[in-house]
Every structure is written in C-alpha cells, then in structure tokens.
Amino acid sequence: MDRFDTLIIGGGPAGLIAAIRASSLGQSTAILEKNASLGEKLLLSGKGRCNFTNGEDDINAFISRYGENGKFLYSAFSKFGPRETMVFFANIGVAMVEERGRRIFPKEGGSQKVLDRLLLECKKNGVKIFRSTPVKSLKVKNGHIDYIITGNDEVTAAKYIIATGGKSYPRTGSTGDGYRFAQQAGHTITELYPALVPIRTAETWPKLASGCNLRNVRLHVFLDGKEVAERFGEMEFTNFGVSGPIVMELSSHVPDWKGELIFSLDLKPSLTHEILTERVKREIEKLKGQGRFFRVVRTLVPKEMVRLMLELGDIPHDKPVEYISDEEIAEFVSLMKDIRMTVNGLWGFNNAVVTRGGVSLKEIDPATMKSKLCDNLYFAGEVLDLNGPSGGFNLQVCWSTGYIAGSVND
Ligand SMILES: Cc1cc2nc3c(=O)[nH]c(=O)nc-3n(C[C@H](O)[C@H](O)[C@H](O)COP(=O)(O)OP(=O)(O)OC[C@H]3O[C@@H](n4cnc5c(N)ncnc54)[C@H](O)[C@@H]3O)c2cc1C
C-alpha cells in the first residue's frame, strides 16, 4: 500500500495547483486521476485559450461576482488571490495579456501552455501522478479517512484533498464523484444545477435564426410580470432557445426564479421607439418604388435573423414598401424592442460550463479548506459550492482554494 503526506483526488486545475503547493513545501505528494491524461477540462477552457483569471483589482468587486457564497473566499484570496495567481503563472513561465472584460489569458500557447507548465512544476517537485486511476471510495472512520480505494489498490495519506470538479461536461472526467466522496465523510451537498449553460425556450422559432450572433442587445427578465434582471451584451439563438454570454450568465440565476419567466429581447437598446421609427421610415423611403419589406428588415437586423423577424412580425415579406402603414411600422418597431420568449428550462450538465451547488461551505474552514467533519480531508475547486460568471472567475476559485488546500496548516 502506497503512503503519501498529501494525496489529491483529481488532476484538474485545482488538484494540480494543490499538488505544486504541497510538494513545494516538502510534502510527498500524489495525484490520482481517473483519465489517461490530466486537465482535460482546462484544455477546453476559454475555447482553448484559457481565461485563467480576471484583472479586476478591487477584491470586494471580484468576490461580489460569486454572489452570496463569495464571502467564503475572502480568507483564501487574502493569501492567494488573483494577484498572487498572476505572479505564480508569470514565475512558471506563462506570460499573460488582458482582454475585454479584464479577462486574463496566456499571451501565447493557450490552455495547453498552462497545463504543460503546471505539469512541469509537478515533475520538478517530484509529484507522483497516477493516471487512469479512478478513486472508488473513501474509508472513513470516526471523522478520519483511513485510506482510499482505487480501481486496483488502496492508498493512504496523512492528508487527502478532493479536487474532482463538478458535474458539468462529464466527458472531461468531471462526473460528480467528489460529491459522493464528500457524503461518505458526512458532508452535505447543496442542490446541484447546471450553470453558465444555454437556455431552452417554450417557443420553437429561435431555431429559425439558430447560430445568429447578436451584439449590443439587451435582455430583460420578467418573473410573473415583474422585471427581475437585465443584461446587455452578446447572445445567440440556438435550435432550442438562446445562448451566448448574457444568456449563460443569466442561466446561473434561473433556478432561483420560480414562476413564469419571460425574456424580452431588445435588438436596439440604444435607440428609443421614436428614433428607431425614424430609422425604419428612412430605410423605407430609400427603397420606395423598388423594394419589398424583407429588404427593409435586411437593413435592420443581421441577415441570419431576417427570416425570424418576418415570421414573428405581421407584415408580408413581399409587401411593396410604399404600402406599409404607420401602424405596421409601429408594430415592427415594438417587435424589435421586445421579442418575448418563455424560459422553459436549462440545458443539462453536458453543456454547462460549471456546476452551481456543491459541498456545503458551512462545513469547511475557509482559511484552510479543511473539512470541519473529517480531520484529514480538504476540498478544492469546483466541487465546492462556489461558482462565478465567465471571465476567469471559475478558474480563480480553483487556483485559490487549491493553493490553500495544498498548504501545510497544522
Ligand atoms: C467548455 C468550458 C470552458 C471553460 N472556460 C473557462 C474559462 O475560460 N475560465 C474559467 O475561469 N473557467 C472556465 N471553465 C470552468 C473551469 O474549467 C472549471 O471551473 C475548472 O476546470 C474546475 O476545475 P477543477 O480542478 O475543480 O475540476 P476539473 O477541471 O473538473 O478536474 C477534475 C478532475 O478530477 C478527475 N476525477 C473526477 N473524479 C475522479 C475520481 N473518482 N478519481 C480520480 N479522478 C477523478 C477528473 O477526471 C478531472 O480530471 C470552463 C469550463 C468548460 C466546460
């Protein structure tokens, strides 16, 4: 039976940084990873470019992006926050650039470079990596893990870190095993939802514009008729509803909104009804004597959306523009400012960037990531009940909690 000072279950970003930290402190350290290779999800992150943190300098503002549970991170961030993360990556040879929304990416090499550098650090520090080694269960007795069982062996350690990720994108290896392990140690798992995920609509017409990407639009969210949120930015239509950055971000809140949920899409949020009406009239004027209505629409929305707008509106596509009445123009303007969709649920975990919910934070010491129920158990990464919006916030949870979990505290 192998024995280590620190044993980490899961070789994703949280597990890797925990291993680097523990080994750098002289701990004999091992990672048990069920896949044949490590960091599969990390490789997908940021579409392969790895938006590994965010440049927001105000820690309070940073933490507010995680909602209520964010305050759990104050302690970890005070020791190893976004700044320290950037210094860490610079020191291991990952130069970085800041982009729109203060997203931080590697300057070159993308996710593969981040992964390669983390693995190189593990190698330098003598971290033992067991690939294709799924952990099956923990043997817990009187608030203490005696050993863990893998496919073909038992392994013991002074300290165990669960870094198995959440349930999202299970094809990367994150199949939710860590929740089961946590429960074996007596932990509570809060309700799990897919987050940062496309949204389904009751209406089937979004498929008419599937793949159409809209920029600078505003989505208003109405719960039982009362506006509860709004977002400005990019979204897209899919075969089953809507997706894109503002939709994905709203998806994390959808489970909290119990009741009839309506999205109202404003295609031209910077234009008032009056100004937009003038604009439509100008386009009509230009086409008088030679144009049909669809050509007006073509000047107002992306071409992939023309068919959808004609379907939703009442004006026949081939109506000569000179016959379009003021009432028809007013109706079309109202449509452009208020396209309504009924939210019918979220896509599942297969398509979710992160999991909302996880190991209850009440049962973990925020200064050490140590279980309050099991004296040699720690947690790091997405398995925790922490999730943020896109922009580097989710990987930052992994770096901070992984680093702290890998530290020697007692
Ligand atoms: C498509 C996509 C794009 C993303 N882009 C970004 C981005 O740009 N920026 C950002 O901040 N976040 C991004 N995220 C989120 C981010 O990738 C995750 O939050 C992060 O990978 C979680 O890290 P983790 O180490 O906690 O878990 P994971 O990365 O899920 O790693 C867990 C590891 O544990 C292993 N494991 C699981 N069970 C067992 C077991 N029983 N035994 C042994 N090993 C096990 C898994 O195989 C896996 O290797 C993205 C996610 C996705 C899906």
Side-chain angles (χ1 to χ4, degrees), residues 16 22 27 155 279 300 390 399:
L16 284 163
Q27 302 272 295
V155 194
R279 161 101 198 268
L300 298 166
S390 65
W399 312 130

Side-chain angles (χ1 to χ4, degrees), residues 255-276:
D256 298 327
W257 289 321
K258 313 266 186 247
E260 191 197 38
L261 202 57
I262 302 287
F263 280 179
S264 157
L265 168 63
D266 183 348
L267 291 172
K268 303 284 178 195
S270 59
L271 305 183
T272 60
H273 272 74
E274 293 68 34
I275 292 174
L276 186 54

Side-chain angles (χ1 to χ4, degrees), residues 230-244:
E230 58 155 321
R231 292 286 187 281
F232 175 83
E234 275 177 57
M235 63 157 272
E236 68 184 74
F237 288 106
T238 71
N239 276 329
F240 306 98
V242 281
S243 184

Side-chain angles (χ1 to χ4, degrees), residues 9-16 32-35 37-42 44-47 49-53 105 133-136 163-166 168-169 172-178 180-181 352-354 380-383 389-396 398:
I9 311 174
L16 284 163
L32 305 182
E33 167 55 52
K34 78 166 157 197
N35 289 334
S37 54
L38 279 71
E40 295 226 345
K41 191 177 280 181
L42 182 64
L44 297 180
S45 68
K47 299 195 169 110
R49 292 191 56 225
C50 193
N51 171 204
F52 66 93
T53 186
F105 292 89
T133 307
V135 170
K136 300 287 185 202
T164 43
S168 54
Y169 266 66
T172 61
S174 327
T175 47
D177 298 5
R180 188 166 47 82
F181 302 152
V353 171
V354 286
E382 197 179 319
V383 71
S390 65
F393 295 94
N394 290 297
L395 281 171
Q396 185 59 55
C398 301

Side-chain angles (χ1 to χ4, degrees), residues 77-336:
F77 274 25
S78 69
K79 295 175 193 146
F80 194 80
R83 285 283 137 211
E84 291 76 13
T85 301
M86 287 186 237
V87 171
F88 169 84
F89 277 105
N91 286 340
I92 65 168
V94 181
M96 57 205 83
V97 285
E98 187 173 311
E99 298 188 5
R100 193 170 48 89
R102 309 216 62 185
R103 290 167 159 82
I104 306 284
F105 292 89
K107 199 167 178 183
E108 50 181 29
S111 309
Q112 188 67 58
K113 171 130 187 196
V114 172
L115 179 60
D116 288 349
R117 293 296 165 139
L118 292 169
L119 288 171
L120 185 64
E121 285 306 295
C122 286
K123 195 172 173 190
K124 276 195 217 157
N125 292 356
V127 175
K128 196 142 187 209
I129 296 179
F130 296 88
R131 294 177 169 83
S132 305
T133 307
V135 170
K136 300 287 185 202
S137 66
L138 313 183
K139 280 293 161 206
V140 186
K141 209 161 76 194
N142 302 327
H144 183 86
I145 301 175
D146 279 346
Y147 58 94
I148 62 172
I149 302 171
T150 65
N152 35 18
D153 211 349
E154 291 171 0
V155 194
T156 59
K159 164 177 176 177
Y160 299 83
I161 302 175
I162 295 181
T164 43
K167 274 182 71 161
S168 54
Y169 266 66
R171 57 189 174 276
T172 61
S174 327
T175 47
D177 298 5
Y179 305 128
R180 188 166 47 82
F181 302 152
Q183 281 170 325
Q184 287 176 342
H187 280 273
T188 311
I189 308 301
T190 64
E191 205 162 343
L192 304 172
Y193 301 100
L196 297 182
V197 67
I199 287 177
R200 293 178 191 279
T201 58
E203 297 77 12
T204 55
W205 49 252
K207 67 171 180 281
L208 295 176
S210 179
C212 175
N213 198 290
L214 300 170
R215 284 164 182 265
N216 302 325
V217 295
R218 193 179 297 281
L219 260 187
H220 299 269
V221 183
F222 293 94
L223 176 65
D224 293 330
K226 188 168 165 269
E227 183 158 0
V228 287
E230 58 155 321
R231 292 286 187 281
F232 175 83
E234 275 177 57
M235 63 157 272
E236 68 184 74
F237 288 106
T238 71
N239 276 329
F240 306 98
V242 281
S243 184
I246 56 175
V247 170
M248 304 277 267
E249 196 180 328
L250 286 167
S251 72
S252 306
H253 305 283
V254 164
D256 298 327
W257 289 321
K258 313 266 186 247
E260 191 197 38
L261 202 57
I262 302 287
F263 280 179
S264 157
L265 168 63
D266 183 348
L267 291 172
K268 303 284 178 195
S270 59
L271 305 183
T272 60
H273 272 74
E274 293 68 34
I275 292 174
L276 186 54
T277 304
E278 287 313 309
R279 161 101 198 268
V280 175
K281 284 185 173 169
R282 268 203 315 277
E283 298 301 340
I284 288 176
E285 198 57 40
K286 280 191 224 159
L287 288 165
K288 264 192 180 155
Q290 39 158 339
R292 312 262 166 180
F293 179 58
F294 73 88
R295 291 187 59 194
V296 177
V297 181
R298 178 65 196 89
T299 65
L300 298 166
V301 299
K303 67 175 184 308
E304 302 86 353
M305 217 188 147
V306 172
R307 196 170 148 220
L308 173 59
M309 293 305 286
L310 291 168
E311 179 79 18
L312 295 179
D314 289 330
I315 310 175
H317 75 281
D318 57 353
K319 186 163 188 169
V321 294
E322 43 281 324
Y323 297 119
I324 296 171
S325 68
D326 282 353
E327 290 74 39
E328 284 174 319
I329 292 173
E331 262 176 47
F332 193 73
V333 165
S334 295
L335 177 66
M336 288 216 291

